[in-house]
Amino acid sequence: MFAIDDHRQHARIRTSAGVRVSIIRDTVTRILRDVPPHVTVMAAAKGASPEQLRDAVEAGIRVVGQNYFSEARRMRPLVPHPVAWHFLGRLRPHDVRPANLNLFDALQSVDSADLAQRINAKCAASDRTMPVFLEVNSAREPQKAGVLPEEVETLLRSIVPLTHLRVIGLMTIGPLTGAPEQSRPYFSEVRRLYDYIQQLEIPGVSMTHLSMGMSDTYEIAIEEGATMVRLGTKFFGPRQR
Ligand SMILES: *Cc1c(COP(=O)(O)O)cnc(C)c1O
Protein backbone atom coordinates (compact mmCIF):
# COMPACT_ATOMS: atom_id res chain seq x y z
CA MET A 1 0.00 0.00 0.00
CA PHE A 2 2.63 2.50 1.05
CA ALA A 3 4.83 1.57 -1.88
CA ILE A 4 2.01 2.33 -4.31
CA ASP A 5 1.28 5.69 -2.69
CA ASP A 6 4.94 6.56 -2.72
CA HIS A 7 5.21 5.66 -6.34
CA ARG A 8 2.21 7.81 -7.33
CA GLN A 9 3.48 10.77 -5.47
CA HIS A 10 6.85 10.48 -7.14
CA ALA A 11 5.23 10.16 -10.57
CA ARG A 12 3.27 13.33 -9.92
CA ILE A 13 6.46 15.14 -9.04
CA ARG A 14 8.03 13.90 -12.24
CA THR A 15 5.22 15.23 -14.45
CA SER A 16 6.28 18.80 -13.81
CA ALA A 17 9.92 19.40 -14.59
CA GLY A 18 9.95 22.71 -12.74
CA VAL A 19 8.69 21.22 -9.51
CA ARG A 20 11.03 18.27 -9.72
CA VAL A 21 14.03 20.49 -10.36
CA SER A 22 13.36 22.71 -7.41
CA ILE A 23 12.86 19.73 -5.10
CA ILE A 24 16.27 18.26 -5.97
CA ARG A 25 18.01 21.61 -5.74
CA ASP A 26 16.35 22.49 -2.47
CA THR A 27 17.26 19.15 -0.94
CA VAL A 28 20.88 19.36 -2.07
CA THR A 29 21.21 22.94 -0.87
CA ARG A 30 19.74 22.10 2.52
CA ILE A 31 21.89 19.03 3.07
CA LEU A 32 25.08 20.77 1.93
CA ARG A 33 24.26 23.53 4.40
CA ASP A 34 23.53 21.14 7.26
CA VAL A 35 26.45 18.70 7.11
CA PRO A 36 29.71 19.64 8.85
CA PRO A 37 32.30 21.19 6.51
CA HIS A 38 34.65 18.17 6.62
CA VAL A 39 31.97 15.91 5.13
CA THR A 40 31.70 15.44 1.35
CA VAL A 41 28.20 14.69 0.08
CA MET A 42 28.21 12.37 -2.89
CA ALA A 43 25.19 11.96 -5.17
CA ALA A 44 24.68 8.23 -5.75
CA ALA A 45 23.25 8.50 -9.24
CA LYS A 46 22.23 4.95 -10.20
CA GLY A 47 18.81 5.11 -11.79
CA ALA A 48 18.72 8.92 -11.85
CA SER A 49 18.27 10.79 -15.11
CA PRO A 50 21.01 13.05 -16.46
CA GLU A 51 18.71 16.03 -15.86
CA GLN A 52 18.25 15.07 -12.21
CA LEU A 53 21.97 14.66 -11.77
CA ARG A 54 22.64 18.01 -13.43
CA ASP A 55 20.28 19.68 -10.97
CA ALA A 56 22.18 18.15 -8.08
CA VAL A 57 25.51 19.26 -9.52
CA GLU A 58 24.24 22.76 -10.18
CA ALA A 59 23.16 22.93 -6.54
CA GLY A 60 26.71 22.13 -5.42
CA ILE A 61 27.36 18.37 -5.61
CA ARG A 62 30.97 17.70 -6.62
CA VAL A 63 31.27 13.92 -6.29
CA VAL A 64 29.02 11.54 -8.21
CA GLY A 65 28.78 7.83 -7.47
CA GLN A 66 27.79 5.19 -10.01
CA ASN A 67 27.21 1.46 -9.68
CA TYR A 68 27.10 0.65 -13.39
CA PHE A 69 29.71 1.29 -16.06
CA SER A 70 27.06 1.61 -18.79
CA GLU A 71 25.19 4.34 -16.91
CA ALA A 72 28.39 6.21 -16.16
CA ARG A 73 29.36 6.09 -19.83
CA ARG A 74 25.99 7.51 -20.87
CA MET A 75 25.79 10.16 -18.16
CA ARG A 76 29.30 11.55 -17.97
CA PRO A 77 29.14 13.67 -21.14
CA LEU A 78 25.74 15.04 -20.09
CA VAL A 79 26.99 16.47 -16.81
CA PRO A 80 29.19 19.37 -17.82
CA HIS A 81 30.46 20.61 -14.48
CA PRO A 82 33.80 19.32 -13.25
CA VAL A 83 32.77 16.58 -10.87
CA ALA A 84 34.67 13.54 -9.62
CA TRP A 85 33.13 10.16 -10.49
CA HIS A 86 33.47 7.31 -8.01
CA PHE A 87 32.61 3.71 -8.78
CA LEU A 88 30.42 2.10 -6.10
CA GLY A 89 29.18 -1.09 -7.69
CA ARG A 90 30.31 -4.64 -7.58
CA LEU A 91 33.63 -4.99 -9.39
CA ARG A 92 33.99 -8.19 -11.33
CA PRO A 93 37.30 -9.23 -12.85
CA HIS A 94 36.11 -8.83 -16.46
CA ASP A 95 34.96 -5.26 -15.71
CA VAL A 96 38.52 -4.20 -15.10
CA ARG A 97 39.22 -2.76 -18.54
CA PRO A 98 40.59 0.65 -19.56
CA ALA A 99 37.27 1.66 -21.18
CA ASN A 100 35.61 1.24 -17.77
CA LEU A 101 38.40 2.47 -15.52
CA ASN A 102 38.79 5.65 -17.55
CA LEU A 103 35.26 6.70 -16.62
CA PHE A 104 36.20 7.00 -12.94
CA ASP A 105 38.39 9.15 -10.74
CA ALA A 106 38.27 6.64 -7.88
CA LEU A 107 36.97 3.15 -7.12
CA GLN A 108 35.24 2.64 -3.77
CA SER A 109 34.56 -1.09 -3.96
CA VAL A 110 37.94 -2.82 -4.07
CA ASP A 111 37.73 -5.92 -1.90
CA SER A 112 40.34 -8.44 -3.05
CA ALA A 113 44.02 -8.68 -3.87
CA ASP A 114 43.14 -10.19 -7.24
CA LEU A 115 41.06 -7.17 -8.24
CA ALA A 116 43.72 -4.82 -6.96
CA GLN A 117 46.35 -6.53 -9.10
CA ARG A 118 44.17 -6.39 -12.19
CA ILE A 119 43.42 -2.70 -11.68
CA ASN A 120 47.07 -2.00 -11.04
CA ALA A 121 48.11 -3.74 -14.27
CA LYS A 122 45.58 -1.80 -16.39
CA CYS A 123 46.48 1.50 -14.75
CA ALA A 124 50.19 0.84 -15.23
CA ALA A 125 49.55 0.24 -18.95
CA SER A 126 47.73 3.56 -19.27
CA ASP A 127 50.19 5.35 -16.99
CA ARG A 128 47.77 6.49 -14.31
CA THR A 129 47.40 5.94 -10.60
CA MET A 130 43.94 4.98 -9.36
CA PRO A 131 42.79 6.16 -5.93
CA VAL A 132 40.84 3.34 -4.27
CA PHE A 133 38.81 2.70 -1.15
CA LEU A 134 38.71 -0.75 0.42
CA GLU A 135 35.13 -1.90 0.84
CA VAL A 136 34.48 -3.38 4.27
CA ASN A 137 31.69 -5.91 4.74
CA SER A 138 30.90 -4.55 8.17
CA ALA A 139 27.53 -6.30 8.47
CA ARG A 140 29.24 -9.62 7.70
CA GLU A 141 26.54 -10.64 5.27
CA PRO A 142 27.88 -13.53 3.19
CA GLN A 143 26.27 -12.34 -0.07
CA LYS A 144 27.65 -8.85 0.32
CA ALA A 145 30.73 -7.47 -1.34
CA GLY A 146 33.57 -6.28 0.81
CA VAL A 147 36.33 -7.67 2.94
CA LEU A 148 35.70 -8.61 6.56
CA PRO A 149 36.98 -6.06 9.09
CA GLU A 150 39.67 -8.40 10.43
CA GLU A 151 41.01 -8.97 6.90
CA VAL A 152 41.38 -5.33 5.92
CA GLU A 153 44.94 -4.88 7.14
CA THR A 154 46.19 -7.96 5.28
CA LEU A 155 44.50 -6.83 2.06
CA LEU A 156 45.88 -3.35 2.50
CA ARG A 157 49.43 -4.62 2.98
CA SER A 158 49.13 -6.74 -0.16
CA ILE A 159 48.10 -3.63 -2.14
CA VAL A 160 50.85 -1.32 -0.88
CA PRO A 161 53.48 -2.65 -3.33
CA LEU A 162 51.14 -1.97 -6.29
CA THR A 163 52.47 1.37 -7.48
CA HIS A 164 49.50 2.31 -9.67
CA LEU A 165 46.94 2.05 -6.89
CA ARG A 166 46.71 4.38 -3.95
CA VAL A 167 44.51 3.43 -1.02
CA ILE A 168 42.85 6.61 0.24
CA GLY A 169 40.12 5.29 2.49
CA LEU A 170 37.48 2.78 3.50
CA MET A 171 33.91 2.39 2.30
CA THR A 172 31.12 0.45 3.94
CA ILE A 173 27.41 -0.07 3.39
CA GLY A 174 26.36 -1.62 6.69
CA PRO A 175 23.21 -3.67 7.22
CA LEU A 176 20.59 -3.02 4.55
CA THR A 177 17.60 -3.89 6.70
CA GLY A 178 16.45 -2.65 10.05
CA ALA A 179 16.11 0.79 11.58
CA PRO A 180 18.81 3.36 10.74
CA GLU A 181 20.04 3.32 14.34
CA GLN A 182 20.99 -0.34 13.90
CA SER A 183 23.78 0.75 11.54
CA ARG A 184 25.58 2.69 14.26
CA PRO A 185 27.72 -0.11 15.74
CA TYR A 186 28.85 -1.15 12.25
CA PHE A 187 29.82 2.41 11.33
CA SER A 188 31.61 2.79 14.60
CA GLU A 189 33.56 -0.43 14.04
CA VAL A 190 34.70 0.76 10.60
CA ARG A 191 35.67 4.13 12.09
CA ARG A 192 37.88 2.36 14.65
CA LEU A 193 39.46 0.34 11.86
CA TYR A 194 40.07 3.55 9.89
CA ASP A 195 41.76 5.18 12.89
CA TYR A 196 43.81 2.04 13.50
CA ILE A 197 45.07 1.96 9.91
CA GLN A 198 45.78 5.67 9.98
CA GLN A 199 48.08 5.30 12.97
CA LEU A 200 50.00 2.45 11.30
CA GLU A 201 51.40 5.17 8.98
CA ILE A 202 52.00 2.72 6.16
CA PRO A 203 54.04 4.45 3.44
CA GLY A 204 51.92 5.16 0.36
CA VAL A 205 48.63 4.78 2.23
CA SER A 206 46.74 7.98 2.96
CA MET A 207 43.66 7.21 5.01
CA THR A 208 41.79 10.41 4.33
CA HIS A 209 38.33 9.24 3.26
CA LEU A 210 35.77 7.31 5.27
CA SER A 211 32.77 6.69 3.01
CA MET A 212 29.73 5.49 4.95
CA GLY A 213 26.07 6.43 5.32
CA MET A 214 23.27 6.50 2.74
CA SER A 215 19.91 8.29 2.60
CA ASP A 216 18.52 6.69 5.77
CA THR A 217 21.71 6.56 7.77
CA TYR A 218 23.97 9.46 6.78
CA GLU A 219 23.35 11.49 9.93
CA ILE A 220 24.31 8.52 12.10
CA ALA A 221 27.36 7.85 9.90
CA ILE A 222 28.51 11.46 10.30
CA GLU A 223 28.15 11.16 14.07
CA GLU A 224 30.33 8.06 13.87
CA GLY A 225 33.03 9.81 11.84
CA ALA A 226 32.17 9.52 8.14
CA THR A 227 33.95 12.04 5.89
CA MET A 228 31.85 11.12 2.85
CA VAL A 229 28.15 10.18 2.66
CA ARG A 230 26.44 8.70 -0.40
CA LEU A 231 22.90 9.88 -1.06
CA GLY A 232 20.63 8.53 -3.80
CA THR A 233 16.98 8.24 -2.78
CA LYS A 234 17.20 11.39 -0.68
CA PHE A 235 17.92 13.45 -3.78
CA PHE A 236 16.35 11.55 -6.65
CA GLY A 237 13.41 9.73 -5.06
CA PRO A 238 12.75 5.99 -4.97
CA ARG A 239 14.38 4.02 -7.76
CA GLN A 240 12.28 2.17 -10.37
CA ARG A 241 14.45 -0.91 -10.00
C1 LIG B 1 22.65 3.04 -4.17
C2 LIG B 1 23.79 3.24 -3.26
C3 LIG B 1 23.82 4.32 -2.36
C4 LIG B 1 22.67 5.29 -2.21
O1 LIG B 1 21.63 4.67 -1.52
P1 LIG B 1 20.32 5.47 -1.08
O2 LIG B 1 19.74 4.65 0.00
O3 LIG B 1 19.45 5.56 -2.29
O4 LIG B 1 20.76 6.81 -0.62
C5 LIG B 1 24.95 4.47 -1.58
N1 LIG B 1 25.98 3.61 -1.64
C6 LIG B 1 25.99 2.56 -2.48
C7 LIG B 1 27.16 1.65 -2.50
C8 LIG B 1 24.89 2.34 -3.31
O5 LIG B 1 24.89 1.27 -4.12
Side-chain angles (χ1 to χ4, degrees), residues 44 46 67 88 171 173 214-215 230-233 239:
K46 61 171 182 275
N67 294 59
L88 299 177
M171 185 272 263
I173 294 178
M214 315 197 335
S215 291
R230 311 179 305 267
L231 306 186
T233 311
R239 287 178 285 275

